[in-house]
């Protein structure tokens, strides 16, 4: 009987996963060895730190690219084949689509490299190396250095360091500040400008669920697209040319199609955009009450007006598909962020932390001299910013959020050249702006833009303090008696900007007078000039005060908590986050599984709703259960899964990598319950939504029949390594207490002659069940 108990103990021990906790933060890969590697190994990582990031040898970082400056991608073949999200490639897919060749609706698959489509202006950046240059940037600068002088020195030094590292244009380089200007790092990239579209599923797969499911879980979206990077024949970066050859990456990711289980280690490697996790309560209030509320209000009307026109014709739908998706994304995000901050009582929590900081600063005369007034300075700065910040929000969301006014604004360099009288400069400026004009006209529909103009200009007039509005605009409104429909009639009937023939003719023979008489150019120029002279200077003064105070605040927090490792805010530089596959419970009585299947997608199918249309071929594959080798052990086709990795915008397309360094999915979204992610980390609800690698390959293979692409990828069929594969001995984990309690109780029952019984115990998220029968 004792042997049986020991055998059962072993079985239970192996069946209980190591309950790992996701590590909050997006970490710099060059610091992983010093800060995170041991914790990652405990959670299931089987790679060395050098296999993750190395300057001299091939490593994971060499498989990761910044895609177009706004997303992430990863190499999945030795021939430069790249995976990213469908929504990241959406603009490129849309640019090649026409009503005849509608790749948005029907998908696109190149069966040979000759069929791959070039994309002007699209590029990828691959990190060559990064360096800590803090000492060089801050040499001779201390607390006594005047702030203006400090800013000048930092700007001069960071520019010089980046310029020297560029080696006369060989690399793309920049220096970014971290911890609000307390540290500085140099980033050196190789940029490749020949990036071609290789494959994309139809939007009914790549965008399945549309705006309804955006930011939501459960999800059933095949959010991926494929591109290929090309180089000159010698392997160097080069613009598009027919004789270019596929790029040979130093490293590409094998794709794992094994099953995933709760607790399996995951890391997300990519380029998260911006977080503001160290923002104080004063900044959060401004973010919630002013920025988000305004964005929600303005974008809601804009989206509705666009949708009216998009529903009238396929041509307009295709033209506005990418713009609509981009605008909608952060409209919905702002709603979720405000709700999350309220639910988490984030502002209240910040206030508690700020009280502790103030008490710590006041407790020591030296600290008080440095940090004692920091929070007061932050509060005063935000109070002043609040008076003028709405002008900034509305300039971006309403004025430059109107297509005609944005295009008119982009003619400003040409206007300045004409005004200077320099004919060569004017010709150069006209040439420079022509590609922007072409892009604008290709996807422009005047009736839609005119409706948006009238609505947003009305909001601008009503919501911005009258003393902060330009006289030209106020006089226009007065002239048309506050009728913004008539004001729009005037602008759109007389502006060359909204007429393709007039705009192109103007660029062939541009004149200063033509722009000065153009109502769209006059209006946007008046608003921006007013902003620069009456609003920006007041904001600049307050922002300078805020920058200094925030820098001191973070420096003080780090000094106050010397044993805590602080991660830097995301700033579009390469980062790594790590966590596990994990379900969650959004509310009482509801438990969300950690994966979804094609069966769930079929349950949502609705042929009358464009967001939930399922292609006929996918339906046929589902009905036949023709999943090939991509089904899980239960015979299901997994579509999406969730992890608790820390991500934000810019991580879209990032690889989700297991402990062996294999691709198991692509990150493409966050969940509604954790929309606070840019401002505060939610340890309970934060989830990263990913498209499963098996679904990606299934669509390429079984749906598209693109065997040429399957053949060039490295596919492995083993289960992802679980957390227990590299965890510490069970005796050292909290789960050991549960196991010992179960065994002790079992032995006691056996001694009392009980031959048949069940024991169930629970601690936190861990359950142990034991059944003994004679």
């Amino acid at each position: 009987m004792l042997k049986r108990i020991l055998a059962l103990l072993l079985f239970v021990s192996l069946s209980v996963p190591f309950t790992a906790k996701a590590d909050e933060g997006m970490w710099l890969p060059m610091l992983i060895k010093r800060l995170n590697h041991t914790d990652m190994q405990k959670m299931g990582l089987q790679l060395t730190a050098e296999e993750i990031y190395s300057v001299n040898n091939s490593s994971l970082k060499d498989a990761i690219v910044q895609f177009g400056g706004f997303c992430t991608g990863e190499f999945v073949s030795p021939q430069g084949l790249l995976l990213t999200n469908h929504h990241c490639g959406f603009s490129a897919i849309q640019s090649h689509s026409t009503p005849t060749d509608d790749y948005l609706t029907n998908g696109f698959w190149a069966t040979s490299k000759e069929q791959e489509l070039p994309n002007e202006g699209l590029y990828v950046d691959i990190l060559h190396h990064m360096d800590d240059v803090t000492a060089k940037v801050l040499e001779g600068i201390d607390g006594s250095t005047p702030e203006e002088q400090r800013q000048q020195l930092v700007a001069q030094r960071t520019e010089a360091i980046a310029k020297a590292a560029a080696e006369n244009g060989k690399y793309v380089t920049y220096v970014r500040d971290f911890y609000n200007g307390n540290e500085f790092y140099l980033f050196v990239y190789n940029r490749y400008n020949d990036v071609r579209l290789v494959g994309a599923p139809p939007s009914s797969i790549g965008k399945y669920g549309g705006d309804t499911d955006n930011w939501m879980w459960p999800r059933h979206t095949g959010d991926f697209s494929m591109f290929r990077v090309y180089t000159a024949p010698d392997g160097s970066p080069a613009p598009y040319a027919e004789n270019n050859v596929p790029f040979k990456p130093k490293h590409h990711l094998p794709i794992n199609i094994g099953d995933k289980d709760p607790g399996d280690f995951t890391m997300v490697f990519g380029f998260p955009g911006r977080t503001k996790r160290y923002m104080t309560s004063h900044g959060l209030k401004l973010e919630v009450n002013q920025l988000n509320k305004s964005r929600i209000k303005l974008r809601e009307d804009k989206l509705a007006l666009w949708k009216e026109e998009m529903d009238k014709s396929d041509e307009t739908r295709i033209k506005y598909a990418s713009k609509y998706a981009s605008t909608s994304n952060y409209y919905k995000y702002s709603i979720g962020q405000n709700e999350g901050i309220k639910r988490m009582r984030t502002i209240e929590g910040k206030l508690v932390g700020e009280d502790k900081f103030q008490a710590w600063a006041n407790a020591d005369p030296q600290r008080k001299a440095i940090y004692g007034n920091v929070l007061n300075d932050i509060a005063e700065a935000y109070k002043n910013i609040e008076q003028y910040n709405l002008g900034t929000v509305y300039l971006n969301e309403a004025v430059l959020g109107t297509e005609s006014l944005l295009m008119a604004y982009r003619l400003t360099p040409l206007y300045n050249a004409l005004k200077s009288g320099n004919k060569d400069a004017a010709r150069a400026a006209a040439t420079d702006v022509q590609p922007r004009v072409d892009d604008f006209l290709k996807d422009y529909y005047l009736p839609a833009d005119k409706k948006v103009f009238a609505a947003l200009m009305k909001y601008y007039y009503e919501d911005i303090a009258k003393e902060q509005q330009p006289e030209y605009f106020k006089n226009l409104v007065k002239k048309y008696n506050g009728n913004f429909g008539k004001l729009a009639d005037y602008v759109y009937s007389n502006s060359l900007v909204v007429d393709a023939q007039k705009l192109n003719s103007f660029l062939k023979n541009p004149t200063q007078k033509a722009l000065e008489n153009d109502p769209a150019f006059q209006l946007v120029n008046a608003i921006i000039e007013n902003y620069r002279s009456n609003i920006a200077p007041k904001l600049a003064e307050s922002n300078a005060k805020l920058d200094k105070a925030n820098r001191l605040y973070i420096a003080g927090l780090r000094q106050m908590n010397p044993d805590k490792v602080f991660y830097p805010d995301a700033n579009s530089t390469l980062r790594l986050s790590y966590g596990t596959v994990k379900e969650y419970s959004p509310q009482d009585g509801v438990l969300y599984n950690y994966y979804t299947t094609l069966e769930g997608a079929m349950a949502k199918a609705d042929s009358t709703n464009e967001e939930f249309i399922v292609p006929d071929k996918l339906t046929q594959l589902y009905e036949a259960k023709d999943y090939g080798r991509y089904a899980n052990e239960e015979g299901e086709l997994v579509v999406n899964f969730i992890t608790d990795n820390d991500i934000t915008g810019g991580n879209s397309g990032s690889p989700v990598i297991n402990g062996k360094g294999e691709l198991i999915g692509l990150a493409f979204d966050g969940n509604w319950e954790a929309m606070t992610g840019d401002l505060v980390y939610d340890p309970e609800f934060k989830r990263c939504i990913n498209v499963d690698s098996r679904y990606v390959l299934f669509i390429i293979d079984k749906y598209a029949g693109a065997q040429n692409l399957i053949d060039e990828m490295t596919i492995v069929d083993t289960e992802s390594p679980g957390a227990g594969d590299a965890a510490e001995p069970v005796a050292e984990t909290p789960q050991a207490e549960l196991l010992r309690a179960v065994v002790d109780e079992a032995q006691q029952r056996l001694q009392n002659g009980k031959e048949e019984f069940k024991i169930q115990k629970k601690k936190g998220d861990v359950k142990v069940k034991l059944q003994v029968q004679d």
Side-chain angles (χ1 to χ4, degrees):
M1 188 61 66
L2 181 58
K3 288 183 179 179
R4 185 171 66 177
I5 283 294
L6 290 175
L8 285 169
L9 171 59
L10 179 61
F11 171 78
V12 175
S13 298
L14 292 175
S15 67
V16 178
F18 174 81
T19 305
K21 180 181 180 296
D23 194 352
E24 173 185 352
M26 305 165 202
W27 303 90
L28 289 167
M30 71 173 288
L31 303 179
I32 289 295
K33 183 175 183 178
R34 176 163 60 88
L35 299 179
N36 314 96
H37 191 244
T38 300
D39 289 338
M40 293 168 72
Q41 285 180 313
K42 291 177 183 178
M43 294 173 64
L45 177 68
Q46 298 182 12
L47 303 177
T48 65
E50 287 74 20
E51 288 174 314
I52 295 173
Y53 175 89
S54 175
V55 176
N56 300 316
N57 300 303
S58 169
S59 60
L60 284 184
K61 80 165 176 63
D62 299 310
I64 316 302
V65 309
Q66 187 168 39
F67 183 84
F70 50 83
C71 275
T72 302
E74 54 276 350
F75 290 116
V76 291
S77 93
Q79 300 178 54
L81 187 64
L82 194 71
L83 270 176
T84 189
N85 286 155
H86 185 270
H87 74 261
C88 293
F90 198 82
S91 180
I93 302 164
Q94 181 261 343
S95 71
H96 295 292
S97 297
T98 66
T100 303
D101 294 316
D102 188 351
Y103 299 139
L104 289 177
T105 299
N106 304 318
F108 169 80
W109 303 97
T111 57
S112 67
K113 293 182 177 65
E114 289 71 28
Q115 294 180 354
E116 296 171 0
L117 302 175
N119 300 280
E120 186 176 356
L122 184 59
Y123 63 88
V124 300
D125 286 340
I126 305 172
L127 181 67
H128 183 273
H129 71 275
M130 58 180 291
D131 285 320
D132 183 350
V133 294
T134 305
K136 293 180 181 179
V137 172
L138 297 182
E139 183 179 3
I141 296 176
D142 56 27
S144 65
T145 305
E147 191 64 17
E148 185 175 352
Q149 182 183 353
R150 185 187 197 279
Q151 291 178 353
Q152 291 176 349
L153 288 172
V154 167
Q156 292 168 1
R157 292 171 182 178
T158 54
E159 182 180 354
I161 290 169
K163 184 177 180 179
E167 296 185 15
N168 295 318
K170 180 180 179 181
Y171 300 108
V172 172
T173 60
Y174 48 77
V175 175
R176 290 271 166 84
D177 73 284
F178 290 77
Y179 305 106
N180 280 45
N182 285 291
E183 294 182 13
F184 296 83
Y185 288 81
L186 166 71
F187 294 84
V188 179
Y189 292 91
N190 287 299
R191 175 167 292 180
Y192 297 88
N193 293 292
D194 188 353
V195 184
R196 306 182 193 180
L197 177 63
V198 174
S203 294
S204 53
I205 292 174
K207 206 172 180 291
Y208 186 76
D211 293 324
T212 300
D213 276 4
N214 190 25
W215 301 112
M216 307 302 289
W217 181 260
R219 199 69 169 274
H220 303 84
T221 311
D223 197 348
F224 77 94
S225 59
M226 307 189 80
F227 292 78
R228 193 185 306 277
V229 178
Y230 282 78
T231 70
D234 64 359
S236 62
Y240 170 79
E242 289 187 5
N243 67 333
N244 281 355
V245 299
F247 174 68
K248 297 179 180 179
K250 292 181 180 178
H251 184 76
H252 72 275
L253 299 178
I255 303 178
N256 187 295
I257 58 173
D259 281 358
K260 288 171 276 292
D261 297 308
D264 282 354
F265 174 82
T266 56
M267 58 180 163
V268 171
F269 219 152
F271 290 85
R274 289 279 173 180
T275 58
K276 294 177 278 190
R277 299 267 178 87
Y278 300 103
M279 180 181 280
T280 64
S281 61
H282 309 286
L284 280 175
K285 290 174 185 176
L286 192 69
E287 197 90 6
V288 169
N289 297 324
Q290 197 175 76
L291 174 59
N292 283 347
K293 282 187 177 180
S294 299
R295 180 186 285 152
I296 293 165
K297 174 181 175 179
L298 297 173
R299 292 195 179 199
E300 189 165 79
D301 273 17
K302 182 177 180 178
L303 289 165
L305 293 169
W306 275 353
K307 192 69 167 60
E308 285 179 10
E309 300 301 323
M310 292 169 71
D311 288 343
K312 293 178 182 178
S313 76
D314 285 341
E315 184 179 5
T316 306
R317 173 184 57 80
I318 291 170
K319 283 183 175 182
Y320 278 76
S322 180
K323 290 180 279 194
Y324 186 93
S326 177
T327 300
S328 175
N329 196 39
Y330 271 81
Y331 157 70
K332 191 169 182 178
Y333 181 89
S334 297
I335 295 172
Q337 188 175 79
N338 276 11
E339 290 183 5
I341 287 174
K342 182 179 179 181
R343 171 182 57 80
M344 292 178 66
R345 298 180 61 82
T346 304
I347 293 173
E348 293 84 346
K350 290 280 187 179
L351 287 168
V352 171
E354 289 160 18
D355 286 344
K356 291 180 180 178
F357 178 88
Q358 191 65 57
W360 170 82
N362 292 341
D364 179 87
Q366 286 186 321
R367 292 202 300 259
K368 187 173 183 179
I370 300 172
Y371 305 114
N373 290 325
V374 163
L375 289 172
N376 283 335
D377 288 343
I378 290 174
E380 288 179 10
Y382 275 118
K383 185 178 180 180
N384 293 329
I385 289 170
E386 186 177 8
Q387 298 178 54
Y388 300 96
N389 193 53
L390 205 60
T392 303
V393 176
Y394 273 57
L395 175 61
N396 292 319
E397 292 286 339
V399 180
L400 300 181
T402 302
E403 293 175 274
S404 60
L405 297 182
L406 177 60
M407 187 65 253
Y409 169 66
R410 287 173 170 165
L411 296 175
T412 303
L414 174 56
Y415 174 72
N416 291 335
L418 291 167
K419 197 173 180 181
S420 72
N422 188 325
K423 293 182 179 180
D424 290 338
R427 280 192 293 269
T431 300
D432 287 344
V433 81
Q434 186 69 59
R436 286 183 177 271
V437 169
D438 294 340
D439 287 343
F440 164 72
L441 293 173
K442 179 180 180 295
D443 295 323
Y444 182 68
Y445 185 57
L446 187 150
D449 186 46
K450 185 178 177 182
K451 288 182 178 180
V452 169
F453 172 91
L456 298 190
M457 290 302 99
K458 186 174 187 292
Y459 280 134
Y460 182 87
Y461 181 75
E462 292 174 345
D463 297 348
I464 301 299
K466 294 298 183 289
E467 64 271 17
Q468 295 182 30
Q469 297 180 22
E471 292 301 319
Y472 176 82
F473 176 65
K474 288 188 286 187
N475 289 337
L476 266 184
V477 176
K478 185 177 180 180
K479 179 179 179 181
Y480 291 98
N481 297 315
N483 188 322
F484 286 85
K486 290 184 178 180
L487 195 158
D489 288 339
Y490 162 69
V491 171
Y492 283 75
S493 297
N494 293 282
S495 176
L496 63 87
V497 171
V498 299
D499 186 300
Q501 184 176 351
K502 289 181 180 179
L503 183 53
N504 282 315
S505 296
F506 165 75
L507 289 179
K508 291 177 182 176
N509 184 29
T511 65
Q512 178 181 343
K513 184 177 180 180
L515 286 178
E516 288 177 344
N517 290 333
D518 187 276
F521 183 80
Q522 283 181 303
L523 178 56
V524 73
N525 190 57
I527 291 174
I528 288 177
E529 283 303 312
N530 174 73
Y531 178 83
R532 287 173 176 164
S533 59
N534 296 327
I535 298 175
K538 296 179 175 64
L539 286 172
E541 183 179 345
S542 297
N543 282 324
K545 183 176 183 178
L546 181 63
D547 288 344
K548 179 180 180 179
N550 278 334
R551 185 175 70 248
L552 289 172
Y553 181 56
I554 294 180
L557 284 175
R558 296 171 81 183
Q559 185 179 336
M560 176 181 166
N561 302 279
D563 296 328
K564 179 179 177 180
V565 179
F566 286 78
Y567 61 88
D569 269 318
N571 59 0
S572 295
T573 56
L574 187 61
R575 304 295 180 90
L576 183 152
S577 72
Y578 53 97
T580 61
V581 175
K582 192 174 183 181
E583 61 192 14
Y584 75 107
S585 176
Q587 58 187 357
D588 182 48
V590 176
L591 178 64
Y592 283 154
N593 195 13
Y594 65 94
Y595 71 91
T596 61
T597 67
L598 187 56
E599 183 174 357
M602 293 299 166
K604 291 180 177 179
D606 181 355
S607 61
T608 66
N609 185 340
E610 65 179 8
E611 294 184 333
F612 294 99
I613 293 173
V614 175
D616 290 341
K617 185 170 183 180
L618 187 58
T619 300
Q620 293 165 9
L621 290 167
Y622 166 72
E623 291 176 346
K625 298 296 183 286
D626 186 7
Y627 303 151
R629 57 176 169 163
Y630 308 114
N632 66 10
E633 288 184 351
E634 286 73 36
E636 304 166 313
L637 182 62
V638 176
V639 176
N640 297 148
F641 68 99
I642 50 174
T643 67
D644 56 7
N645 291 84
D646 194 359
I647 64 161
T648 190
N651 271 125
S652 291
S654 293
V656 186
I657 303 171
N658 66 15
K660 295 179 180 179
E662 299 161 343
L663 181 77
I664 59 173
L666 279 73
F668 72 90
D669 210 352
N671 59 318
W672 181 255
E673 296 83 5
M675 288 294 90
T676 59
D678 285 356
L679 303 176
V680 61
Y681 179 80
D682 187 334
E684 182 178 1
F685 290 133
K686 181 70 174 179
R687 292 296 181 273
C688 172
I689 302 176
N690 317 293
V691 56
D692 197 286
S693 58
R694 291 167 291 189
Y695 192 58
V696 171
L697 295 177
F698 165 80
I699 295 298
I700 297 169
D701 186 349
K702 306 292 287 186
Y703 179 87
Q707 189 63 41
N708 57 308
L709 301 178
I710 295 293
D711 289 343
E712 68 173 276
M713 292 184 275
T714 305
I715 301 173
V716 294
D717 189 2
T718 58
E719 286 193 11
S720 302
D725 294 339
E728 293 180 344
V730 174
E732 296 180 17
T733 69
Q735 287 78 2
E737 298 178 20
L738 231 58
L739 295 173
R740 282 195 295 272
V742 168
V743 174
D744 289 345
E745 186 171 338
Q747 288 177 326
Q748 184 65 42
R749 294 193 188 192
L750 287 169
Q751 289 172 3
N752 293 335
K754 303 277 188 182
E755 292 293 327
E756 182 175 342
F757 55 84
K758 295 180 181 178
I759 301 174
Q760 177 175 325
K761 291 185 180 293
K762 181 179 179 181
K763 186 173 185 179
D765 294 331
V766 181
K767 293 180 180 178
V768 177
K769 294 181 179 179
L770 181 64
Q771 181 171 343
V772 178
Q773 292 179 323
D774 187 23

